[in-house]
Each structure stands twice: as C-alpha cells, then as structure tokens.
Amino acid sequence: MGMQGASHIVWDWNGTLFHDNDAIIGATNAAFAELGLEPITMEQYRSLYCVPVPKFYERLLGRLPTDAEWLVMDETFHRYYSEHRVRCALTEGAEQLLVDWVAGGRSQSILSMYGHEELVPLVRGFGIETHFIRVDGRTGPSGGSKAEHMVRHLAALARVDPSRTVVIGDAADDAVAARHVGAKAVLYTGGSHGRASLEEAGVPVVDSLGEAVALAHEIAA
C-alpha cells in the first residue's frame, strides 16, 4: 500500500474533510439535555472541547460523568448525529485538493474517530473513496484518543514513511496522534477547536484546507 518514499497525508474526517459542525453541536446539546444541562453555542464548544470526550463533559458538569451518564449521553449523541449528518457536506474545496494531491504522485488516507461501519459508506457516498489508499474509522468504544488508532493505521500502510507523513485535522488530539508515531501535523480552525486552543499543540495552525495541504507539501518533502 502507498507509494514508496512519497509524501502522505492522513486526513481527519469530522470537522476537517466533512463540514459537520451543525450536526456536532446539535448532537452535543441533545446529549447535554439528557442530564439537564443548558445548551451551548458553537463558540463555547470550540473553546471547551477536548479529548478524551468525558473530560469535555467534566468541564461543563464540574465532574466526570458516571459510567451510566456517559452511556446515555454517548448513545444520544450518536443517534442525533446520524439523523442530522445527511444535511452536511464536504468542506468547500476539499474534493479538488484530494484529486490534486494524488495527481502529484503522493498518497493519502483517512483516520477518524467516527465509527468505522458508519464512516466507510459515508465516504463512499461522496464519491471520494478512490482518492485514499485506506479509510479507517474507530473500532471499539468511543471517547478515547486517536494515538493508538494512528499506530495501527500507519502500521497497515507498510510503504508509508511516518517521517514524510502529515496529519491534517481540526483537534489538538490529531497533533498528539501524529507526534505519537513520528509524523507531523497541521491543524485546521474550521472544525471543533478554536485557534487559541489549537495553537497550544505547538504545530502549524491554518484557516483553510488549501493552506493545510500547501504546508503538508512543504514539511513532508
């Protein structure tokens, strides 16, 4: 898999290639309502969101949710999200960026913390699956970090060099996952985190996917 010695991008999905902010905030507030919490705005979400997700809820509850509360909130979130994601689209310009990256003799893949069984048909439905050498969603329980998933993802891409790999995502956890495997990262401000929190990750932060790809080309050369 992959092209020996070529630059590689590992794309995040939610909030990066897939512009699903409206579905995310709606699902979050639906989950909050299960515990009687007041709804939050997208700005509040972007300033408070963190991984693992239970820590995000702790910032709002003042304590970690119990196991029973977490299960209820997690189920509510995913049910609402599945109903409302159908109104969401790819981030503007994303498809052409994918085409151009491959046309330049490079490779790319997707690693998402969205469930694998839901992710694959969603990517396929946009007609972009052929642009990727691998598409991996989360397997196992939700709520954790992407780091160990990244280990498995790159291990499956036997001909991809981590040192020439750039992770493009919208969350600080994408930078953590990249660092964990010896890859680089570029973070995009259009998704779940605001610029201030992303800059704390110590990697380049950009406001468009076009900028992210241009940087990836430079730092993975």
Side-chain angles (χ1 to χ4, degrees), residues 1-220:
M1 294 184 183
M3 292 169 243
Q4 189 69 44
S7 302
H8 182 81
I9 290 175
V10 178
W11 289 96
D12 176 54
W13 179 248
N14 303 95
T16 305
L17 287 176
F18 189 42
H19 187 65
D20 59 350
N21 289 357
D22 289 346
I24 290 286
I25 191 62
T28 298
N29 283 329
F32 286 173
E34 292 292 329
L35 295 192
L37 292 171
E38 292 296 316
I40 63 172
T41 65
M42 192 68 211
E43 290 72 25
Q44 289 172 311
Y45 178 92
R46 283 159 54 83
S47 67
L48 293 171
Y49 182 75
C50 64
V51 173
V53 179
K55 294 291 289 183
F56 168 52
Y57 291 152
E58 182 182 23
R59 292 181 174 185
L60 293 146
L61 282 169
R63 59 175 176 80
L64 281 169
T66 66
D67 290 346
E69 287 171 337
W70 164 250
L71 288 174
V72 168
M73 296 175 80
D74 191 49
E75 190 278 331
T76 301
F77 177 94
H78 286 98
R79 184 180 68 250
Y80 183 101
Y81 179 83
S82 294
E83 293 171 358
H84 290 80
R85 73 181 188 196
V86 296
R87 297 199 297 268
C88 302
L90 295 177
T91 300
E92 185 175 357
E95 186 167 5
Q96 191 60 52
L97 291 170
L98 298 176
V99 171
D100 293 346
W101 183 262
V102 174
R106 300 169 289 260
S107 62
Q108 57 198 340
S109 58
I110 293 176
L111 176 61
S112 172
M113 294 300 281
Y114 190 44
H116 185 76
E117 297 304 318
E118 292 80 24
L119 174 67
V120 172
L122 187 54
V123 173
R124 188 173 296 144
F126 281 111
I128 60 173
E129 185 181 21
T130 57
H131 301 319
F132 306 103
I133 60 173
R134 189 174 182 89
V135 175
D136 281 336
R138 171 186 48 78
T139 56
S142 62
S145 173
K146 186 179 277 188
E148 292 306 320
H149 295 270
M150 187 68 74
V151 171
R152 292 189 291 271
H153 182 73
L154 285 190
L157 304 177
R159 299 176 66 190
V160 168
D161 181 355
S163 70
R164 299 197 64 195
T165 297
V166 178
V167 178
I168 298 179
D170 69 319
D173 191 51
D174 291 299
V176 172
R179 193 174 297 118
H180 191 66
V181 295
K184 302 173 180 69
V186 177
L187 300 181
Y188 164 60
T189 62
S192 62
H193 283 51
R195 173 175 281 276
S197 61
L198 292 178
E199 287 178 340
E200 294 176 4
V203 302
V205 177
V206 298
D207 296 320
S208 73
L209 293 188
E211 293 174 89
V213 171
L215 261 177
H217 182 62
E218 291 179 18
I219 64 181

